């Protein structure tokens, strides 16, 4: 299959993922809005600001570093796999003990157990980082889309049932954990890569070097795009933050969806032309005209 054909198939599957997930989320939001309060959504929104930031440290730029490798070996993949577990454990331990400070920052002790439980997802996600990266590297999104939509549907149904049973904000917490768990199980089931027991110190330090660059970029971008959420959550409370978050997402919906469909394909696609600078320049100029 040519690169153009891979990009076309990738765009189709990413479109299915984005619009399918949007439809499912829209229906779930309507149902959950009837069962939960704005404060429930706001509590999770306050935690989400921290979740998005610390997520960059668990992955530490290893995913794009692995995509950049022309022909990653088994050792390259195994090293990346264990590195992400290492960073995830460190981040979770820090979060567990820093949870009281997060609650103190927002002036709400209810956040302490929510943070400690919700951040367990950081210990689950590394199981499939390499699996998903290898699929992305090959511009093959079909299996990832199936995992995304199926896990979203099943976890969403679970969240609705828990909300109906009166679990409040915890229905959203368990929905998130069940979602990432199901997604991991499905990806592992559908993909063929399996971790081995090889590990390279040289590879480890190479990942640290390149990963630090990606992490710095992502964190800088994250603060530029999320400082308002942090301030509103701190000054105005969870209910207002929940309303603001929904309004912001709706206003940015068209751009966000197009970016998510095509944007995440460009990096692995450009990697296929490594060594052909003229080709990269030609494609880059076409994308920006």
């Amino acid at each position: 299959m040519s690169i153009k054909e891979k990009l076309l198939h990738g765009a189709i599957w990413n479109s299915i993922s984005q619009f399918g997930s949007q439809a499912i989320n829209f229906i779930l939001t309507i149902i959950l809005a009837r069962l939960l309060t704005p404060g429930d959504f706001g509590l999770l929104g306050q935690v989400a600001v921290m979740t998005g930031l610390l997520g960059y440290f668990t992955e530490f730029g290893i995913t794009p570093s692995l995509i950049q490798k022309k022909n990653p070996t088994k050792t390259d993949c195994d090293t990346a796999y264990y590195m992400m577990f290492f960073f995830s454990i460190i981040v979770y331990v820090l979060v567990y003990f820093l949870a009281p400070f997060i609650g103190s920052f927002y002036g709400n002790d209810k956040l302490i157990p929510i943070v400690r439980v919700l951040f367990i997802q950081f210990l689950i996600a590394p199981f499939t980082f390499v699996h998903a990266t290898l699929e992305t590297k090959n511009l093959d999104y079909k299996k990832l889309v199936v995992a995304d939509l199926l896990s979203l549907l099943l976890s969403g149904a679970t969240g609705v049932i828990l909300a109906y049973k009166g679990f409040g904000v915890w229905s959203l917490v368990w929905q998130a954990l069940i979602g990432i768990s199901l997604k991991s199980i499905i990806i592992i089931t559908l993909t063929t890569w399996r971790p081995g027991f090889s590990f390279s110190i040289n590879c480890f330090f190479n990942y640290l070097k390149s990963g630090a660059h990606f992490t710095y970029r992502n964190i800088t971008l994250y603060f530029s795009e999320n400082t308002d959420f942090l301030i509103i959550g701190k000054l105005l409370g969870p209910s207002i933050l929940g309303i603001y978050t929904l309004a912001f997402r709706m206003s940015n919906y068209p751009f966000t969806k197009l970016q998510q469909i095509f944007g995440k394909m460009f990096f692995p696609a450009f990697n296929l032309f490594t060594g052909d600078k003229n080709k990269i320049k030609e494609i880059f100029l076409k994308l920006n005209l």
Side-chain angles (χ1 to χ4, degrees):
M1 185 182 295
S2 68
I3 294 177
K4 287 185 178 180
E5 290 175 328
K6 286 184 176 182
L7 287 172
L8 177 60
H9 280 80
I12 292 173
W13 280 107
N14 278 329
S15 298
I16 293 173
S17 175
Q18 293 304 318
F19 291 108
S21 63
Q22 185 64 30
I24 295 173
N25 275 321
F26 180 74
I27 295 172
L28 290 174
T29 300
I30 292 176
I31 298 173
L32 289 171
R34 302 276 298 185
L35 300 172
L36 302 174
T37 67
D40 291 328
F41 289 99
L43 283 172
L44 201 68
Q46 289 176 325
V47 178
V49 175
M50 303 295 178
T51 304
L53 174 62
L54 293 176
Y56 290 124
F57 288 98
T58 60
E59 186 262 349
F60 201 73
I62 297 173
T63 294
S65 299
L66 185 58
I67 290 177
Q68 272 193 329
K69 284 185 173 292
K70 189 65 176 177
N71 295 298
T73 64
K74 177 67 173 175
T75 301
D76 291 329
C77 295
D78 287 349
T79 302
Y81 184 80
Y82 293 115
M83 279 186 70
M84 283 187 276
F85 268 111
F86 172 73
F87 286 118
S88 296
I89 292 172
I90 290 178
V91 169
Y92 181 76
V93 171
L94 288 174
V95 167
Y96 185 89
F97 289 107
L98 291 176
F101 295 96
I102 297 175
S104 177
F105 176 79
Y106 285 113
N108 191 342
D109 289 340
K110 291 182 179 179
L111 291 174
I112 298 175
I114 294 175
V115 168
R116 286 174 171 171
V117 174
L118 185 63
F119 274 72
I120 292 176
Q121 63 185 303
F122 285 160
L123 300 178
I124 301 173
F127 279 103
T128 54
F129 271 144
V130 174
H131 301 73
T133 300
L134 294 177
E135 296 296 313
T136 301
K137 183 178 177 66
N138 293 322
L139 300 176
D140 186 359
Y141 298 94
K142 180 179 179 179
K143 297 170 185 176
L144 303 182
V145 172
V146 171
D148 282 336
L149 295 183
L150 189 56
S151 62
L152 177 60
L153 185 62
L154 294 175
S155 64
T158 303
V160 169
I161 293 172
L162 292 175
Y164 178 76
K165 293 292 186 179
F167 279 76
V169 66
W170 284 99
S171 61
L172 300 176
V173 174
W174 290 115
Q175 177 184 338
L177 286 178
I178 292 171
I180 190 66
S181 299
L182 288 174
K183 182 178 178 180
S184 297
I185 292 171
I186 295 170
I187 289 178
I188 291 173
T189 302
L190 295 180
T191 55
T192 58
W193 184 84
R194 295 293 181 268
F197 298 99
S198 58
F199 189 88
S200 169
I201 296 298
N202 289 334
C203 188
F204 175 86
F205 285 108
N206 287 334
Y207 278 135
L208 281 182
K209 182 178 179 180
S210 59
H213 167 75
F214 286 113
T215 302
Y216 171 76
R217 171 195 172 278
N218 289 335
I219 291 175
T220 302
L221 183 62
Y222 184 84
F223 274 113
S224 70
E225 296 178 345
N226 291 275
T227 302
D228 50 341
F229 294 93
L230 184 66
I231 295 174
I232 290 173
K234 166 65 175 176
L235 299 180
L236 301 181
S239 297
I240 299 300
L241 176 61
I243 296 172
Y244 177 80
T245 301
L246 179 60
F248 184 87
R249 288 177 179 173
M250 292 297 292
S251 65
N252 284 273
Y253 175 78
F255 170 78
T256 300
K257 290 303 161 187
L258 288 174
Q259 191 276 333
Q260 289 175 341
I261 291 172
F262 298 103
K264 66 181 182 181
M265 293 192 302
F266 292 150
F267 184 70
F270 273 117
N271 181 67
L272 297 176
F273 297 104
T274 300
D276 190 347
K277 294 184 178 180
N278 291 329
K279 188 67 174 179
I280 293 176
K281 290 179 181 178
E282 177 186 346
I283 297 174
F284 181 80
L285 289 174
K286 286 181 178 180
L287 290 173
N288 286 275
L289 290 178

